[in-house]
Structure formats: structure tokens, C-alpha cells
Amino acid sequence: MTSAQGWSATWTFCDGAWHEGNAPLWGARTHAIWLGSSVFDGARVFEGVAPDLDLHCARVNASAQAMSLRPRLSVEEWVGLVGEGRKRFAANATLYVRPMYWAERAGPMALPPDPDSTRFALTLYEAPMRKPDGFSITLSPFRRPTAETAPVEAKAGCLYPNNARAMLEAQSRGFDNCIMCDAAGNVAELANSNIFMARDGAVFTPIPNGTFLAGITRRRVIALLREAGVEVVETVLRYQDFENADEIFSTGNASKVLPVTRIGERALQPGPFYRKARALYWDFAHAKG
Ligand code: PMP
């Protein structure tokens, strides 16, 4: 279902009540729209399950603290609210679940947020998952910031214009997505997800170094593959390692595990490790509910 404004079916909890559609949250003086103090997380409801919802709720609270905001809900309260919101959609709806915090006011020195003015909202909306038919990647000329140059320990809205310009630049050259490196030129992640490769029977992924979002799906997939007896190595990787990989796949909340089917001019097939990771994730999601 799509609203007159073109939004898919959407429900938002804010200021003690549920609102249908694209609920207005901010005013002209809200700190978040002026100075970028918003944090968010993204979880999923699909096929009647919401895997790792508690971890996504815990992360939005950690992101708030990293941005000097004051978390307003416990993980249990967030999870309970998501449960309420789900009931407003069909039981089999595919939803994006986005908890958010932001500062309403600046503190006395104008620049930093006033933590006492922290507000929160939870928005749920229908959003299909991407089909696992593969996508293409290239090397981005843009880099991830270091911990000294941006609040990379938070999943903060202010980090995303850099990823958006990287994705747009890749798309201008005919690719769907791109590998972003850190300041030292080591592979960090894709513009919107984490990246894995397989070579000679083992799986490799960049080791978290504080410059990129070491995602919840990434951590889950590593654990599932290891439990299944697959060797998964977190290490320093260069773009060339991916160019020479047997297979490449991505992980992220939005579409879970997807195959990369082209890097630069080289075509790739969805491989056995990708297939195993995706199947293990689906088993996990349905086992845990
Ligand atoms: N990196 C970036 C930049 C992202 O936006 C996401 C999506 N949240 C990820 C990685 C994957 O993280 P997760 O598995 O926690 O969704």
C-alpha cells in the first residue's frame, strides 16, 4: 500500500503515540536537522521473523551515547515497541524497522547537543528485500573517515553523505556499489554493507579497525559459518585481493546476504560460500524468530 505522498505503508511511534504515514518529527530549530545529531539503526521484519532485533536496539542506544545523546528506552522497551508496531501491518509484511534518537536543542555552547533534549522515534515501513540476483562493484575514490575525523563508532546519519557520494560515483561509472577503503588504503566495506570474499577454500573479511561499521549481520554470518566448520579469517585486505577472489558476497541488515557478480570488468558467479552463508542465515532467522 502506498500513501498519496508516495510512501509505502508506514507507522511511527513518537511522543507517546503511533502516527500513520510520514510523521513530521522536527522543527526549524531542531538540533538534528541543523547540526546532524541523529543516530539510527536498521532492523528487519520478514517472513514473520525479526532476527537480531535486540542487537539492533542495543546498537542504537550505544550510538546515542557515542553522540552525547541520552538513550530514552531500554532494549526491552524498544523490542516491545517494535512488537506493537508490527501488529499494524499484515503478518507476512516485509518491514524496515528504524529506531532513532536525536537532540532537539543545542547545549549552552550552541554546537554540541543538549543531552537532556534527546528525543526518540521508531518508524516501521514496508520495504521489500533485494532479490539475491547479484550486483556489481568497483573501487571508490572516496575513503572512510578515521576515528579522529568522524564519529565512526556511532551509526549516525552524519556519516552517510560520504557513503552516498561514493555510491553515486560508482553508479556514474555503471556499477551498483563500491568498495570503500580506509585512510590507509585497506578495504573497509561497501557503501551500505559489509564485504566478504572466498579464496582457496576459506572466507576472508576486513578486520574491524574502527573506520567502518562492523555490522550485526557480518558478526552473525561469521559465527554461523564458523559453527558450520568454515574457516573465516578477519584480516587486512586490499582491493586486489577482491579482484583475485573466487567469490565475493555482502552482508547487511537490509537484504542479509547477497552475491557480488562483477568486480570491475571481471564477472563472478554466486559461489558455494555465499550460498552456505545465506542458507545458514535463513535457518538462524527462522529458528530464533
Ligand atoms: N556498513 C554500512 C555503512 C551500513 O550502512 C550497514 C547497514 N547497517 C552495514 C555496514 C551492515 O551493518 P548491519 O549488518 O549491522 O546492518
Side-chain angles (χ1 to χ4, degrees):
M1 212 174 58
T2 305
S3 73
Q5 294 80 32
W7 300 107
S8 63
T10 303
W11 282 94
T12 299
F13 184 90
C14 187
D15 296 336
W18 285 96
H19 309 272
E20 190 170 13
N22 186 33
L25 300 175
W26 294 0
R29 293 197 58 182
T30 299
H31 185 270
I33 196 168
W34 178 34
L35 293 172
S37 58
S38 68
V39 299
F40 70 102
D41 217 282
R44 275 280 189 195
V45 169
F46 64 103
E47 298 170 15
V49 294
D52 285 334
L53 177 61
D54 53 342
L55 298 184
H56 287 282
C57 296
R59 189 170 64 182
V60 78
N61 281 7
S63 294
Q65 279 169 322
M67 292 283 282
S68 307
L69 303 176
R70 187 157 297 150
R72 297 296 190 195
L73 295 185
S74 67
V75 170
E76 294 70 30
E77 287 169 325
W78 275 122
V79 170
L81 211 48
V82 173
E84 269 185 36
R86 281 174 72 171
K87 295 191 190 127
R88 292 171 185 269
F89 297 85
N92 64 349
T94 302
L95 305 178
Y96 190 81
V97 176
R98 171 146 55 86
M100 293 174 275
Y101 286 110
W102 67 93
E104 203 50 48
R105 290 187 304 276
M109 296 298 286
L111 204 52
D114 175 357
D116 289 335
S117 74
T118 303
R119 291 175 69 205
F120 73 93
L122 170 68
T123 190
L124 289 80
Y125 50 91
E126 286 183 351
M129 287 168 80
R130 212 183 148 130
K131 288 197 187 67
D133 47 11
F135 64 95
S136 60
I137 60 171
T138 181
L139 176 62
S140 179
F142 298 112
R143 298 272 176 104
R144 292 286 306 172
T146 62
E148 293 80 11
T149 53
V152 283
E153 71 280 21
K155 189 166 168 62
C158 65
L159 297 171
Y160 279 82
N162 190 42
N163 292 36
R165 67 177 180 157
M167 187 174 266
L168 284 173
E169 191 280 333
Q171 289 172 354
S172 76
R173 291 188 284 116
F175 295 91
D176 299 310
N177 206 331
C178 54
I179 283 183
M180 296 185 77
C181 293
D182 62 18
N186 297 313
V187 170
E189 62 180 346
L190 296 172
N192 60 356
S193 47
N194 293 116
I195 189 157
F196 287 72
M197 56 168 266
R199 183 86 203 254
D200 299 333
V203 171
F204 300 84
T205 193
I207 187 162
N209 62 5
T211 72
F212 65 93
L213 189 74
I216 289 166
T217 324
R218 172 191 178 281
R219 211 183 321 146
R220 178 61 63 196
V221 164
I222 291 173
L224 291 170
L225 285 172
R226 284 181 178 158
E227 276 166 34
V230 174
E231 186 189 356
V232 183
V233 184
E234 296 176 84
T235 187
V236 177
L237 295 165
R238 306 291 288 189
Y239 184 70
Q240 210 177 25
D241 294 314
F242 284 84
E243 286 184 303
N244 296 324
D246 297 334
E247 58 172 286
I248 303 176
F249 58 91
S250 70
T251 64
N253 162 69
S255 298
K256 306 308 179 189
V257 188
L258 293 175
V260 171
T261 45
R262 183 161 68 97
I263 180 166
E265 293 315 310
R266 186 173 164 234
L268 291 161
Q269 295 302 314
F273 289 106
Y274 150 71
R275 265 190 278 276
K276 185 174 267 252
R278 192 171 164 96
L280 288 168
Y281 191 91
W282 251 257
D283 288 350
F284 154 76
H286 284 280
K288 288 278 210 171

